[in-house]
Amino acid sequence: MAELDFERRLERLFAELPELPDAAVFAERVERRLDAGWTARRWLIGAAGVVGGVIGASQLMMSNLFQRVETAEDSAHMFSSSLNHITTGADWVANVANTGTVVWVAAGLAALMMGFVLTRVIGEI
């Protein structure tokens, strides 16, 4: 029985910790150190992002990516104009019913064409 009372008293003592006189100062000092570490980390991560962005942009400029995209765009325009020439020569568009389905098919074909252009551009990189 005495052992049980001792354990209960010991648990109460550990549950009610006394506050130290410099607890507020200590907590403020620890928070300041933690904030200073986070500030330094944020600056380092930001600087690394800027350096990485500059390196990436310079690599894009050096690889003539924009010229390749323009070439692919010119190819797409030439393909589109030749397709328009075929459609005006055959005049088969006038025979198709003017419904919403035609619009959806055209949008799907346009998306497919852009996919092909994108794969070509990526393949040339």
Side-chain angles (χ1 to χ4, degrees), residues 42-61:
R42 275 187 251 143
W43 277 102
L44 286 174
I45 290 170
V50 168
V51 169
V54 167
I55 290 171
S58 67
Q59 290 296 318
L60 284 176
M61 292 294 191

Side-chain angles (χ1 to χ4, degrees), residues 46-114:
V50 168
V51 169
V54 167
I55 290 171
S58 67
Q59 290 296 318
L60 284 176
M61 292 294 191
M62 297 301 287
S63 69
N64 294 327
L65 175 72
F66 301 114
Q67 183 181 6
R68 290 180 183 176
V69 169
E70 288 175 1
T71 304
E73 185 180 354
D74 291 340
S75 299
H77 284 300
M78 188 168 35
F79 177 73
S80 176
S81 66
S82 64
L83 194 62
N84 285 338
H85 179 68
I86 290 171
T87 58
T88 55
D91 204 19
W92 59 274
V93 177
N95 297 330
V96 177
N98 229 355
T99 62
T101 308
V102 174
V103 174
W104 285 109
V105 168
L109 289 174
L112 184 68
M113 183 181 71
M114 288 306 295

